[in-house]
């Protein structure tokens, strides 16, 4: 039998033990802010439900993001929504509150985000202030020493970009993880023709150009690997459990025709929580942006992510 007391008398093992303890405490105290365009598709809901349940994560905020896009102006329907009456950020906000209530976590602050992009259709960087941006600023300013607020964005990056424009002093207090764009590692080619980026290209360009910002990007190229099967998902979800019923209903109402769905947002959240299941590469920004290095997820272990999602969701 391993005698921990004797091992602790040996300097080497004592050093290893203290290091592991420090790492555990450091992770347990990590403050995380999640920004989500929850009303857009269905995978946001799965990502939020997962992150809320992760032990050791101090989720200090869940803000709503808009998903304004050109289709809302020219088509009558967006998924199951009537576009004539749809207010994107308000729908994201409604769902955020519904999820938190179902999980008994209304104690997590959940401020409303901006209702449109920064700047205008032709560019510019005029901030789009909101309760969400102000809350991110306030939390970032609470960070002490080398501590950083980890911000995860699942949709348009308007809220975090606005926070950084309004309060440049928080740049060194934020570590940003965002879902957006396509990137091909073999050719080192970027493609910004992607939904989240199209919803606020100005914000993405601002963040890419912001020298010194610690920026990690989950591209849709990489997150495409994480897919859920519709029938398996229905079978696994227990609709007697409030949050699981919400997840089932979201697929059933908004995407019933899809036999599989890419879980874009869940891929980012799970890669963040389990970095051992993801490969991160240092990459130069696109040629039209300020030349600097950002981090890009280039590979994920989708099988392990699927398995872990279901394990944690079912954990009491």
């Amino acid at each position: 039998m391993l005698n921990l007391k004797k091992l602790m008398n040996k300097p080497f093992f004592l050093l290893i033990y203290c290091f592991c303890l420090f790492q555990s405490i450091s992770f347990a105290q990590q403050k995380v802010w999640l920004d989500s365009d929850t009303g857009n598709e269905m995978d946001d809901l799965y990502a939020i439900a997962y992150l809320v349940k992760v032990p050791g994560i101090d989720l200090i905020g869940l803000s709503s993001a808009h998903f304004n896009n050109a289709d809302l102006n020219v088509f009558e329907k967006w998924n199951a929504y009537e576009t004539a009456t749809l207010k994107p950020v308000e729908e994201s906000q409604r769902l955020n509150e519904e999820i938190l209530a179902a999980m008994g976590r209304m104690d997590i602050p959940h401020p409303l985000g901006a209702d449109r992009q920064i700047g205008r259709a032709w560019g510019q960087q005029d901030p789009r202030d909101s309760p969400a941006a102000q809350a991110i600023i306030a939390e970032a300013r609470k960070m002490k020493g080398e501590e950083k607020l980890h911000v995860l964005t699942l949709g348009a990056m308007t809220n975090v970009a606005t926070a950084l424009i309004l309060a440049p002093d928080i740049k060194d207090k934020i570590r940003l993880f965002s879902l957006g764009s396509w990137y091909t590692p073999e050719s080192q080619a970027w493609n910004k023709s992607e939904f989240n980026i199209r919803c606020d290209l100005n914000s993405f360009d601002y963040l890419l150009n912001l020298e010194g910002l610690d920026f990690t990007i989950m591209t849709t190229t990489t997150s495409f690997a994480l897919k859920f099967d519709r029938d398996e998902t229905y079978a696994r979800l227990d609709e007697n459990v409030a949050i699981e019923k919400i997840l089932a209903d979201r697929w059933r109402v908004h995407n019933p025709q899809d036999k599989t769905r890419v879980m874009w947002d869940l891929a980012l959240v799970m890669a963040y929580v389990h970095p051992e299941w993801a490969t991160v590469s240092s990459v130069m920004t696109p040629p039209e942006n300020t030349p600097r290095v950002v981090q890009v997820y280039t590979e994920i272990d989708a099988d392990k992510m699927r398995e872990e999602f279901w394990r944690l969701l079912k954990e009491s």
Side-chain angles (χ1 to χ4, degrees):
M1 182 176 178
L2 183 65
N3 191 322
L4 183 59
K5 187 174 182 180
K6 286 185 178 180
L7 286 177
M8 291 299 288
N9 290 326
K10 298 181 181 294
F12 174 76
F13 285 101
L14 179 60
L15 179 63
I16 295 297
Y17 175 80
C18 291
F19 175 77
C20 292
L21 181 62
F22 172 79
Q23 290 292 91
S24 175
I25 292 173
S26 176
F27 183 72
Q29 294 178 340
Q30 179 58 58
K31 290 179 169 52
V32 176
W33 187 282
L34 183 62
D35 187 76
S36 178
D37 61 336
T38 319
N40 178 40
E41 288 193 280
M42 54 163 282
D43 51 309
D44 301 77
L45 285 75
Y46 288 69
I48 295 169
Y50 177 79
L51 191 60
V52 168
K53 289 181 70 74
V54 172
I57 288 286
D58 187 4
L59 184 59
I60 63 170
L62 170 62
S63 50
S64 49
H66 69 82
F67 47 98
N68 292 332
N69 65 87
D71 281 14
L72 301 183
N73 296 321
V74 294
F75 292 100
E76 294 180 355
K77 299 278 285 187
W78 178 258
N79 292 326
Y81 297 116
E82 299 289 339
T83 56
T85 56
L86 177 62
K87 296 181 179 180
V89 74
E90 292 182 14
E91 180 61 10
S92 293
Q93 182 69 20
R94 182 190 70 79
L95 286 168
N96 284 353
E97 294 177 7
E98 183 179 354
I99 293 166
L100 292 177
M103 301 185 77
R105 291 304 313 272
M106 286 295 284
D107 59 298
I108 297 174
H110 43 277
L112 181 70
D115 65 353
R116 67 198 73 179
Q117 68 185 33
I118 69 168
R120 300 298 297 273
W122 52 84
Q124 300 182 347
Q125 297 173 354
D126 307 280
R128 198 68 59 192
D129 202 2
S130 67
Q134 290 299 322
I136 292 171
I137 292 170
E139 292 299 335
R141 284 176 171 165
K142 293 178 184 177
M143 300 298 105
K144 299 177 180 179
E146 298 299 314
E147 187 181 13
K148 290 191 177 187
L149 173 64
H150 290 187
V151 178
L152 280 62
T153 69
L154 306 183
M157 303 165 200
T158 310
N159 294 328
V160 68
T162 292
L164 286 159
I165 293 169
L166 293 175
D169 59 287
I170 69 171
K171 180 184 67 175
D172 295 334
K173 295 297 182 181
I174 282 182
R175 188 175 180 196
L176 180 60
F177 299 80
S178 295
L179 172 71
S181 77
W182 301 89
Y183 178 77
T184 306
E186 294 77 14
S187 60
Q188 301 180 0
W190 291 86
N191 182 352
K192 295 177 182 176
S193 185
E194 182 274 327
F195 183 80
N196 284 352
I197 306 306
R198 282 176 172 266
C199 286
D200 193 348
L201 174 61
N202 296 337
S203 283
F204 188 50
D205 277 336
Y206 173 79
L207 296 167
L208 287 173
N209 292 337
L210 189 56
E211 294 186 85
L213 176 66
D214 191 336
F215 195 11
T216 301
I217 301 164
M218 170 62 77
T219 67
T220 44
T221 313
T222 300
S223 56
F224 190 80
L226 183 59
K227 299 176 183 178
F228 276 22
D229 177 82
R230 179 191 62 195
D231 295 336
E232 179 188 1
T233 300
Y234 288 170
R236 283 179 175 247
L237 291 171
D238 180 356
E239 298 193 38
N240 293 311
V241 178
I243 184 58
E244 295 187 39
K245 185 177 190 310
I246 290 173
L247 299 182
D249 286 346
R250 187 67 178 178
W251 195 323
R252 187 177 294 117
V253 172
H254 284 264
N255 307 101
Q257 73 285 354
D258 294 339
K259 293 183 178 180
T260 61
R261 289 289 297 181
V262 178
M263 307 302 275
W264 317 96
D265 304 305
L266 185 59
L268 169 61
V269 168
M270 297 200 73
Y272 169 76
V273 174
H274 289 282
E276 70 274 18
W277 297 340
T279 300
V280 179
S281 301
S282 296
V283 172
M284 288 299 298
T285 50
E288 66 272 19
N289 292 106
T290 299
R292 72 183 190 96
V293 174
V294 293
Q295 304 304 309
V296 173
Y297 289 107
T298 52
E299 190 174 359
I300 58 173
D301 191 329
D303 291 335
K304 288 184 178 178
M305 288 181 174
R306 273 189 295 270
E307 181 181 349
E308 170 61 11
F309 171 82
W310 290 113
R311 184 201 67 77
L312 187 60
L313 184 69
K314 297 297 183 178
E315 191 174 83
S316 299

